[in-house]
Amino acid sequence: MTKQETVAFSKDGEIQKLILENSFLHVEVSALGATLVSLRLLKTKDQRDVVCGLNSAEEYLAHDKYFGACVGRVAGRIDKGQFQINGEQYSLACNNNGNALHGGIHGFNQQTFTYQFLPINKEELGVKLYYTSEDGEEGYPGTLALEVTYFLSENTLRIEYSATTTKDTLVNLTNHSYFNLEGHASESVGNHILQVEAKGLLKIDEDSCPRGAILNLEGTPFDFRKAKSVNDCLHGNHEQLELARGIDHYFIFNKPSNQMKLQGGDKVCTMVVSTNQRGANIYTANYLDGQLVGKENVAYPKQCAICLETQDLGNEVNIHENPTTILRVGDTYEAYTEFIFEVEE
Ligand code: BGC
């Protein structure tokens, strides 16, 4: 049984929500921001929805939490919004403590994508979303033609990104879903068990921006190489935990696939994350505060969920001589992330 349909997501009916369903997963994607609005695991007894989300396009435009959004042109922070490519200086729109965060004031999360469902075949369902980001948008050089594709295949959700540019530019895309595998209404992610195959993490400064200093994980609360609870880290003692009010750090992977594993505290669902990206910003929703009421009238408190934002390092352009986040004219940016779900039926 598969399903593919659209429903209106804005009051005027101009923005659509795209629905994909197979016998394992029910997925809803908003054309605003190519945003993952719902991810329901149909094989659980309660058919639980494991991502936080809001009720309409208007609500997404009114809040800057990036729930489920496709974040870009550059995810993460760029120091003072400044960078150089080919000796030319660029200044971005700054929206976070004097730095540019998640694409700027009007990032991709606020843009309306066009879309096309892919032909249904037995193994796979999909929808491709398109957005053209004009030369100079939020300060970035080059017109960027972007495609984001959501695929469902059995128990796997795969998000693929592809982009080309008319001038050398920066690109670093991610999906910013807030996961709680006990269900999005669960108030804490603390009892989740997390494993991250990482060789280190990037320290942040007071303004949450990483500037290149690496933390060796050994002996720190951030060492998730052996699976342990999220609370084990959050209740630890470390200057970096205080700076971020929890975990909000870029982990550098030590292997090319199956880098992260998350299990709900009730042991019903396990999610494996596998990507061709070099790391992930792991964020424990430290800046939610219970004020924001989302789907099904659920209020989202601090640390009710975890984001596993697979990406390259946003500020790398200001750290390394040959950053991978530069997309050159004629090249194609290509990234993918798979979210693979196992469920105790
Ligand atoms: C950032 C946080 C930020 C959040 C926005 C995360 O990816 O690292 O610092 O507050 O996104 O909701």
Side-chain angles (χ1 to χ4, degrees):
M1 272 281 287
T2 55
K3 193 156 84 183
Q4 171 175 289
E5 62 187 37
T6 61
V7 294
F9 200 47
S10 61
K11 277 205 191 92
D12 59 9
E14 300 242 315
I15 299 174
Q16 305 295 307
K17 194 165 66 169
L18 320 167
I19 299 174
L20 296 173
E21 186 179 299
N22 66 12
S23 48
F24 294 85
L25 303 171
H26 171 97
V27 165
E28 300 183 3
V29 177
S30 163
L32 179 77
T35 296
L36 181 61
V37 173
S38 265
L39 172 50
R40 229 170 243 291
L41 305 184
L42 300 176
K43 299 283 185 189
T44 54
K45 290 198 180 74
D46 50 359
Q47 302 219 324
R48 64 184 58 176
D49 185 349
V50 294
V51 293
C52 300
L54 305 175
N55 295 300
S56 64
E58 288 80 7
E59 287 185 13
Y60 278 93
L61 285 169
H63 300 287
D64 62 353
K65 305 299 178 203
Y66 303 91
F67 282 130
C70 166
V71 173
R73 209 176 275 205
V74 173
R77 290 171 175 80
I78 296 182
D79 196 359
K80 310 278 181 299
Q82 296 293 317
F83 66 96
Q84 283 194 357
I85 295 182
N86 306 331
E88 195 147 336
Q89 187 74 30
Y90 294 98
S91 292
L92 300 174
C94 290
N95 56 342
N96 188 271
N97 289 324
N99 298 314
L101 172 67
H102 291 340
I105 298 165
H106 300 292
F108 293 170
N109 58 304
Q110 292 189 14
Q111 307 300 341
T112 303
F113 288 58
T114 55
Y115 60 87
Q116 191 170 26
F117 285 104
L118 303 180
I120 299 184
N121 69 41
K122 270 201 207 102
E123 286 83 45
E124 210 165 62
L125 279 176
V127 64
K128 200 181 264 292
L129 297 106
Y130 307 86
Y131 176 63
T132 302
S133 168
E134 296 301 333
D135 187 9
E137 188 176 284
E138 298 300 289
Y140 290 103
T143 298
L144 190 80
L146 166 68
E147 292 182 9
V148 182
T149 314
Y150 283 81
F151 292 102
L152 291 199
S153 164
E154 298 198 328
N155 57 344
T156 300
L157 168 66
R158 177 184 172 95
I159 308 179
E160 278 187 17
Y161 306 87
S162 130
T164 54
T165 182
T166 58
K167 288 182 192 159
D168 292 358
T169 192
L170 289 184
V171 185
N172 182 37
L173 302 170
T174 194
N175 177 274
H176 204 293
S177 287
Y178 288 64
F179 290 99
N180 188 312
L181 299 183
E182 295 162 28
H184 78 110
S186 162
E187 288 182 358
S188 167
V189 78
N191 290 331
H192 280 53
I193 305 296
L194 176 66
Q195 186 174 13
V196 184
E197 303 284 353
K199 55 185 174 198
L201 69 70
L202 284 158
K203 289 191 192 178
I204 56 169
D205 291 331
E206 281 74 14
D207 60 356
S208 288
C209 189
R211 294 190 168 80
I214 291 179
L215 180 74
N216 187 338
L217 301 174
E218 191 71 44
T220 74
F222 297 97
D223 193 353
F224 284 100
R225 288 172 297 179
K226 263 210 198 123
K228 66 175 187 176
S229 76
V230 172
N231 269 342
D232 195 301
C233 173
L234 293 178
H235 295 164
N237 198 352
H238 201 281
E239 173 229 3
Q240 286 291 314
L241 279 171
E242 277 165 41
L243 284 176
R245 304 195 196 173
I247 309 171
D248 189 3
H249 292 87
Y250 185 81
F251 287 70
I252 307 159
F253 294 146
N254 61 13
K255 62 189 269 219
S257 60
N258 297 331
Q259 296 98 341
M260 297 184 284
K261 193 173 182 177
L262 183 69
Q263 185 182 49
D266 60 2
K267 309 258 187 287
V268 173
C269 313
T270 303
M271 176 175 81
V272 171
V273 181
S274 190
T275 182
N276 67 345
Q277 305 272 52
R278 290 183 308 150
N281 195 69
I282 301 185
Y283 170 57
T284 44
N286 312 316
Y287 295 100
L288 294 183
D289 58 8
Q291 298 295 314
L292 185 54
V293 178
K295 295 180 293 192
E296 295 158 347
N297 259 329
V298 173
Y300 294 122
K302 183 177 178 193
Q303 295 174 343
C304 67
I306 190 165
C307 304
L308 303 171
E309 308 160 41
T310 54
Q311 59 190 269
D312 280 341
L313 174 66
N315 197 31
E316 193 189 20
V317 67
N318 292 313
I319 298 172
H320 295 145
E321 214 163 291
N322 291 307
T324 51
T325 45
I326 294 185
L327 177 67
R328 304 274 174 198
V329 175
D331 289 348
T332 303
Y333 171 91
E334 277 175 337
Y336 68 84
T337 299
E338 290 179 345
F339 302 93
I340 307 152
F341 295 91
E342 297 294 338
V343 162
E344 285 287 320
E345 289 184 39

